Amino acid sequence: MIDATPARDGQPSARRSKDLLYSEGFRAAAYQIALAAAVVFVGLFLYQNVVENLQRQNIATGFGFLREVSQFEIGETLINYSARDTYARALLVGLLNTLSVSAAGIVLATIIGFSVGIARVSNNWLLQRIATGYVEIVRNVPVILQVIFWAAVTRNLPAPRQALELWGLGFLSNRGLTFATPVADPAHGWMFLALVAGIALAGIGDRWARRHREATGKHVDMLWPSLAVVIGLPLVVWLAFGAPHLISFPERKGFSFVGGYTISPEFVALMTGISLYASGFIAEIVRAGIEATPKGQVEAARSIALRPRFIMRYVVLPQALRVIVPPLTSQYVSLIKNSSIAVVVGYPDLVNIGNTVMNQTGQAVEAIAVMMTVYLIISVVTSLLMNTYNRLVAIKER
Amino acid sequence: MSQSTSTQAADAPIISLHNVSKWYGQFQVLCAVDLDVRKGERVVVCGPSGSGKSTLIRCINRLEVHQEGRIFVKGLEMTDNVKNIDAIRRNIGMVFQNFNLFPHLTVLENLTLGPMLTRHMKKADAEDLAMHFLRKVRIPEQARKYPLQLSGGQQQRVAIARSLCMEPEIMLFDEPTSALDPEMIKEVLDTMIELAESGMTMIVVTHEMGFARTVADNVVFMADGRMVESAPPEEFFGNPREERTRTFLDQILKH
Ligand SMILES: Nc1ncnc2c1ncn2[C@@H]1O[C@H](COP(=O)(O)OP(=O)(O)O)[C@@H](O)[C@H]1O
Ligand SMILES: [Mg+2]
């Protein structure tokens, strides 16, 4: 980097101000100030305009409407909701739907993306070709078309009477995907907590083993103890609750199913569309990550007799993850944003419900502000996490 | 390591290749190579690019797998037996053309990884050992830096130290100075010369003929996967027997 020209003593002042004009530091600051001023000016202008227009049309402003009764039903809700609830609660239903379709989509996209990405670098010619073809198709067809395609597919599935049976565990029909689930039991919540505790314990055990190894040189293999505690704790809780093992199997009944759990065709179509689209990008990210760790790294590790497990853990993974995680996270964020395509298949996500609210109340600015804030928070939180991660793992170069 | 190898004769070769051949698909990289290296012996391997020098030394620690013939290291045969491979690799250090240091670990961590994970050393002991070898290669002050913060010559010396931390009896070098700027070649060669003087058994693939003259007990010339000529340096440089060796030496010594 070139430093700003140092001020020279004893120069006439005209000469000095010219120096200032040519100084990098001064220029950078000046551009920043000019840009900030422009943004503030445009913002004020727009705000003034909107407020004047709304007043002229006698449209209410402010967020008071959130406490009013919504008077519309929502087809799919994760929490109790009826038309007598408030707009705020309707938006919350939408947010939860956005989060649930995104979470399912992220899991699916990750599984498919990693599999296809690994297939892309496999030695199997056919597998590699198929993976390449898949990536080209899902990446290059616009995501909205893909969602519409899957909506058409789910709509054209057979009626419940002729539903496709899935190995006795569920059905696929134009009512969506219906599958067997354990009957709800208080044990489940505790089992989940036990799982979280198990994972935490495994993490602590791992750190202990590392410290023990560094202090004494002795290895303690934590793989099996970790697995035991992660699987074992929930199992113990399950047994402590008397091993509740009732499973609700869905059955055909009339034009529908009873029992089991059904996810709607809209959910299936939206989730499939956005996650397949993302899986293409994730596959490429994974391929790049794998190829980013040079062969020489593994050879060097072998030459000091490291075992395959240690090579993976201490040499390959740390380098591959550095390359994979940041773009992977931005794929997750864009998948969450893509879930707003929900409106074309009629899935009640945040944007879809926000639209309805906007139409009923006329308070477009506020409704959009709410939606934008939510997406902004999701993105900002993600990039904060990402920056922290990057700072922690950055490879130091000169 | 419970083979009946402890009864080896004192002057038996520490590395011995019999009739080793290897193919990449249809292409034969190594053609019935024979090579014996005794403890403390220094062998320099040279030959035109693509003649199979790298492949040859990489077969010795099984970074490449030979398809015919037999390879013994300290009497232990190199087969697909994981235990043997492990034992042999522990006893052989390798230095690569491109250093292959782990960029995400500090110099010290690069050096202690092997001792801690494969030799079950305490961290404190592994660090003492690492500092010992960093002093040997004359860069103890770089211990806390990351590899990419060092010059090429320094990186290669760290790589040498990393191998030494496994306290091997044998060191393999695959063109250790080819990726270096001219002014850094000397510092690496000096380190290697000191290592040779300490009695290390070494196989060095290099085109540094000055190094071969001063250090080697034997110079081997390879071409097209064959061992064309093998002789002590005075004879090899003074009176090469084979026409191909002469042509090669003419080309390489002109520069
Ligand atoms: N993985 C590989 N697959 C196919 N051919 C290879 C591979 N590695 C090396 N070769 C070929 O084997 C020959 C010998 O290579 P190498 O041992 O690296 O030669 P040198 O080190 O003497 O330059 C070269 O012709 C090279 O192209
Ligand atoms: Mg080579």
Side-chain angles (χ1 to χ4, degrees), chain B residues 218-237:
Chain B
N218 248 319
V219 184
V220 168
F221 175 67
M222 280 188 74
D224 299 330
R226 263 172 244 279
M227 213 155 252
V228 176
E229 182 157 1
S230 165
E234 316 80 63
E235 202 182 316
F236 185 87
F237 292 109

Side-chain angles (χ1 to χ4, degrees), chain A residues 365-384:
Chain A
V365 177
E366 290 84 352
I368 287 174
V370 168
M371 292 188 266
M372 275 172 57
T373 309
V374 168
Y375 284 105
L376 193 64
I377 289 173
I378 294 173
S379 303
V380 168
V381 166
T382 318
S383 51
L384 281 180

Side-chain angles (χ1 to χ4, degrees), chain A residues 213-219 295-307 310 314-316 318-319 322 393-398, chain B residues 58 61 63 86 89-90 92 94 96 100-105 113-114 116-118 120-124 146 148-151 162-163 166:
Chain A
R213 193 200 70 214
E214 289 177 356
T216 67
K218 291 201 184 68
H219 283 275
K295 251 173 72 186
Q297 290 287 305
V298 176
E299 291 177 349
R302 280 199 193 132
S303 78
I304 52 172
L306 288 198
R307 293 215 226 100
F310 292 142
Y314 293 102
V315 177
V316 177
Q319 296 189 59
R322 243 168 261 259
V393 305
I395 290 186
K396 313 243 177 355
E397 292 183 44
R398 52 186 63 227
Chain B
R58 289 157 61 87
N61 68 349
L63 290 184
D86 240 39
R89 279 188 183 155
R90 267 176 216 212
I92 302 182
M94 184 161 205
F96 302 86
N100 292 345
L101 293 173
F102 307 127
H104 59 298
L105 302 178
L113 195 65
M116 291 202 310
L117 293 179
T118 62
H120 306 294
M121 287 177 78
K122 296 178 194 174
K123 186 177 188 181
Y146 285 84
L148 298 181
Q149 295 174 314
L150 305 183
S151 74
R162 177 175 66 182
S163 293
M166 296 297 290

Side-chain angles (χ1 to χ4, degrees), chain B residues 24 27 29 48-56 175:
Chain B
Y24 285 120
F27 175 70
V29 225
S49 173
S51 57
K53 307 180 295 293
S54 299
T55 310
L56 177 73
E175 304 206 29

Side-chain angles (χ1 to χ4, degrees), chain A residues 188-200 229-230 232-235 237:
Chain A
H188 294 157
W190 291 106
M191 283 169 70
F192 179 74
L193 288 182
L195 179 72
V196 173
I199 292 171
V229 75
V230 169
L233 269 188
L235 202 66
V237 170

Side-chain angles (χ1 to χ4, degrees), chain B residues 11-251:
Chain B
D11 63 340
I14 190 169
I15 299 172
S16 133
L17 280 69
H18 297 307
N19 230 352
V20 170
S21 292
K22 176 174 177 62
W23 288 260
Y24 285 120
Q26 296 290 309
F27 175 70
Q28 188 163 9
V29 225
L30 295 178
C31 309
V33 174
D34 283 309
L35 178 70
D36 278 346
V37 180
R38 254 157 263 283
K39 189 163 174 54
E41 203 176 355
R42 277 90 54 165
V43 176
V44 164
V45 180
C46 60
S49 173
S51 57
K53 307 180 295 293
S54 299
T55 310
L56 177 73
I57 66 166
R58 289 157 61 87
C59 281
I60 298 174
N61 68 349
R62 211 175 172 85
L63 290 184
E64 303 289 351
V65 178
H66 64 289
Q67 287 144 342
E68 268 179 20
R70 306 177 77 179
I71 299 177
F72 295 88
V73 177
K74 281 199 90 181
L76 216 54
E77 177 157 19
M78 180 64 90
T79 57
D80 62 358
N81 180 322
V82 182
K83 268 200 159 144
N84 280 8
I85 296 175
D86 240 39
I88 293 176
R89 279 188 183 155
R90 267 176 216 212
N91 211 7
I92 302 182
M94 184 161 205
V95 176
F96 302 86
Q97 186 173 348
N98 300 314
F99 329 135
N100 292 345
L101 293 173
F102 307 127
H104 59 298
L105 302 178
T106 63
V107 165
L108 195 62
E109 288 165 343
N110 265 275
L111 269 59
T112 55
L113 195 65
M116 291 202 310
L117 293 179
T118 62
R119 299 179 64 202
H120 306 294
M121 287 177 78
K122 296 178 194 174
K123 186 177 188 181
D125 295 349
E127 288 186 346
D128 287 347
L129 185 73
M131 289 312 297
H132 168 75
F133 284 113
L134 280 180
R135 279 191 292 275
K136 280 251 149 125
V137 301
R138 301 215 174 84
I139 34 175
E141 72 283 359
Q142 310 288 358
R144 305 276 162 196
K145 286 204 186 158
Y146 285 84
L148 298 181
Q149 295 174 314
L150 305 183
S151 74
Q154 291 173 324
Q155 289 188 54
Q156 193 60 299
R157 284 185 285 154
V158 171
I160 293 173
R162 177 175 66 182
S163 293
L164 292 177
C165 280
M166 296 297 290
E167 300 185 283
E169 287 183 74
I170 301 161
M171 287 283 287
L172 307 175
F173 294 82
D174 191 359
E175 304 206 29
T177 57
S178 301
L180 296 177
D181 292 335
E183 76 271 18
M184 294 171 187
I185 292 179
K186 187 173 177 308
E187 64 188 59
V188 171
L189 289 180
D190 285 347
T191 307
M192 290 168 62
I193 290 170
E194 278 167 34
L195 197 58
E197 283 164 355
S198 76
M200 177 68 74
T201 311
M202 294 163 69
I203 302 183
V204 184
V205 175
T206 186
H207 290 157
E208 293 294 332
M209 290 301 134
F211 176 83
R213 271 206 180 94
T214 49
V215 174
D217 297 308
N218 248 319
V219 184
V220 168
F221 175 67
M222 280 188 74
D224 299 330
R226 263 172 244 279
M227 213 155 252
V228 176
E229 182 157 1
S230 165
E234 316 80 63
E235 202 182 316
F236 185 87
F237 292 109
N239 184 21
R241 268 174 288 132
E242 304 287 332
E243 181 58 39
R244 292 196 69 168
T245 316
R246 246 172 269 142
T247 331
F248 176 74
L249 285 176
D250 279 350
Q251 277 170 354

Side-chain angles (χ1 to χ4, degrees), chain A residues 143-166:
Chain A
V143 59
I144 195 163
L145 277 186
Q146 296 192 43
V147 170
I148 291 172
F149 169 79
W150 291 108
V153 170
T154 50
R155 229 170 272 139
N156 286 311
L157 284 170
R161 243 177 238 286
Q162 292 89 36
L164 305 170
E165 240 193 281
L166 307 171

